[in-house]
Amino acid sequence: MSIPTVQTAAPQKGRQPLAGATVFRILIAVSLVHLFNDSIQSVIPAIFPILRSSMHLNYTQIGWISFAINFTSSIMQPVVGWFADRKPKPALLPIGMGFTFTGMLLLAFAHSYPAVLLAVVFVGLGSAAFHPEGSRVAHMASGTRRGLAQSIFQVGGNAGQSLAPMLTMWIFIPLGLFGSIWFTLVAGAGIAVQLYIARWYGNKLRSGAQVKKKAQARQLKPEVRSKVRFAIVMLVVLVFVRSWYSSSISTFFPFYLIDHFGLSVDDAQIFIFLFLGAGAVGTFFGGPVADRIGKRNVIFASMVLAAPLALLLPHVGLWGVGILLALLGLIVFSSFSVTVVYAQMLFPGKIGTVSGLITGLAFGLGGLGALVLGKWIDLAGVNTVMAICSFLPLLGVLTFLLPSDQQLNRWSGEGEEPKQ
C-alpha cells in the first residue's frame, strides 16, 4: 500500500520548477517604486534652469548640486549592496524611500544654496538604499528570465527620469521650489508599496530561497578570476562613457537649446523628455533582446549605433535635434539593464554588491561628469562642450574587449578556463 503514497508525493516534487517562475506582480511593484524614486531624483537636474535663474547660480554651482546627489548615491549603493549580500534587510526598502521623502520636504523650504545641497543629499541617500535592494528583489523574482526582469525593473526608473522635464513644466515653473512638496505624496505612496515588497522579500528569505542561491555560487580559478577583474574594469569604463554622455544631455543640453535655438525653458524640457522617454522604451526592450542575441552584443550595439547620431546632433536644425534625441535615447539606454545583468554574471552570488556598484557608478560618474562639464562650460561655452561630448559614444568599440556571454556562462557555471 506504499505505492499510492509514492505516487501522490511525485506531483509535490513536480512543483519545484515553479521556484523558477517569474513573479510579475513583484516585478511590477518594484518597477513602480523605481518610477517613483527616479522621477523624484530626476527632477533635481530638471529644475537646474529654475535654480540658476532664481538663485543666480553659475554652471559650476549647478555641477556641484548634480555631483552632490549622484555622488552620494554612488558611494552608498555598493556599501548597501555589500551589506545586503551578507545580511539582507527588507526594511531598507521603505527606510530608503523615507530618506527621499525627507529630501523633498527640505527642498520645498530651501531658500539658500547650502539648503538645496543638503536636500539633494537626502534624496541621494534614499536612492542609494533603494537601488541595490530593488535590483536584488528583481533578481529573486526573475525566475529564468533575468534580462526581462531587469528590464521591467529598470524601465520604471527610466520612465521616472523621462517624466522629470514634464513635471518641471507643470509643477516647478509655476510653483518654484515649493512645488517639491507634492513629491512628498509620491514618496509616501512609494513607502506603502515598499512595505508590500518588503513583506514578500522577507517571506522569500525565510523560505530559504536566498540560501539556495548562495549555495549555487562557485569559486573561480585564479586565472579566470584575473580575467573577471579585467572584464569588470572594462564594463566600468563603458558605464563611465554612457553616464557622461547621458549626463551631458539631461543636465546641460537644455542650456544648449536655450542658447543655440533661443528656446524657452518649457520648450527645452520637451526635448529632454524625448531623449529620456525614448530611453525608457529602449531600457524595456534591451533586456529581452539581450536574452536572445547576447548581452555583450546589446552593450556594443547601444554604443556604436549611437556614435554617428551623436556626431550629427550639434549640426542639425531643431526638428533634426528632436528626432536624433529620441533615437539616441532609444539606443543608448537599451544597455542600461543589460550592464547590470552582465555584471551579475561576472560575480554570481553577489547580486547586491554588483548591482550597487554598476548602478551606483552610473549615478556617481554622471554626477562627476556634470561637475567637470559645468566647470568646462563656464570656461569654453555650452556650444563647444556639447560638440566635444558628441564624440564620447565612439569609445563603445571597447566592448570588444569584454568576454562573450558563452565565456561568462562557463566561468560562472563551471569556474573553468574557457577554451580559446
Side-chain angles (χ1 to χ4, degrees), residues 145-375:
R145 307 170 76 176
R146 294 172 60 187
L148 175 63
Q150 274 298 324
S151 286
I152 292 173
F153 171 63
Q154 298 291 354
V155 77
N158 284 22
Q161 292 174 27
S162 70
L163 289 175
M166 309 310 293
L167 293 172
T168 300
M169 288 176 54
W170 298 330
I171 297 176
F172 287 103
I173 289 177
L175 298 178
L177 276 187
F178 186 72
S180 305
I181 199 73
W182 289 103
F183 289 91
T184 60
L185 300 178
V186 177
I191 292 172
V193 180
Q194 291 284 53
L195 289 171
Y196 169 75
I197 297 170
R199 188 177 300 113
W200 177 87
Y201 186 6
N203 291 336
K204 196 76 170 174
L205 293 174
R206 285 188 290 273
S207 72
Q210 190 68 12
V211 175
K212 294 177 183 177
K213 290 272 186 183
K214 288 183 179 180
Q216 293 172 359
R218 304 182 182 182
Q219 294 295 320
L220 299 175
K221 291 183 178 181
E223 61 269 25
V224 174
R225 198 175 297 120
S226 64
K227 294 185 177 183
V228 168
R229 284 196 291 266
F230 175 77
I232 197 68
V233 169
M234 294 311 305
L235 189 64
V236 166
V237 170
L238 292 168
V239 171
F240 173 89
V241 172
R242 186 186 64 200
S243 298
W244 271 52
Y245 184 71
S246 60
S247 178
S248 72
I249 297 296
S250 60
T251 303
F252 294 111
F253 203 74
F255 298 109
Y256 171 83
L257 293 170
I258 293 168
D259 181 74
H260 191 72
F261 293 104
L263 296 185
S264 65
V265 173
D266 288 24
D267 291 339
Q269 297 297 333
I270 294 174
F271 282 83
I272 305 307
F273 171 75
L274 289 174
F275 175 72
L276 297 175
V281 176
T283 297
F284 179 77
F285 286 106
V289 171
D291 284 339
R292 290 180 175 272
I293 71 171
K295 295 164 185 62
R296 187 182 71 169
N297 292 337
V298 170
I299 295 171
F300 175 73
S302 73
M303 299 293 289
V304 172
L305 294 179
L309 304 180
L311 290 170
L312 277 175
L313 187 62
H315 308 289
V316 297
L318 195 58
W319 279 100
V321 167
I323 295 170
L324 289 178
L325 282 177
L327 291 174
L328 281 166
L330 184 71
I331 295 170
V332 169
F333 285 97
S334 64
S335 66
F336 196 88
S337 63
V338 179
T339 51
V340 176
V341 178
Y342 187 93
Q344 291 172 352
M345 292 174 67
L346 282 170
F347 294 95
K350 297 182 179 179
I351 303 302
T353 304
V354 171
S355 301
L357 176 67
I358 296 300
T359 56
L361 280 173
F363 287 122
L365 294 175
L368 179 61
L371 177 60
V372 173
L373 292 174
K375 183 66 175 179

Side-chain angles (χ1 to χ4, degrees), residues 5 16 37 55-56 70 82 94 106 108 120 131 141 152 169 173 235 269 296 333 340 381 387 399 419:
T5 304
Q16 289 179 0
N37 181 88
M55 293 189 174
H56 308 289
N70 291 318
W82 175 83
L106 290 174
V120 301
H131 280 95
I152 292 173
M169 288 176 54
I173 289 177
L235 189 64
Q269 297 297 333
R296 187 182 71 169
F333 285 97
V340 176
T399 308
K419 296 178 182 180

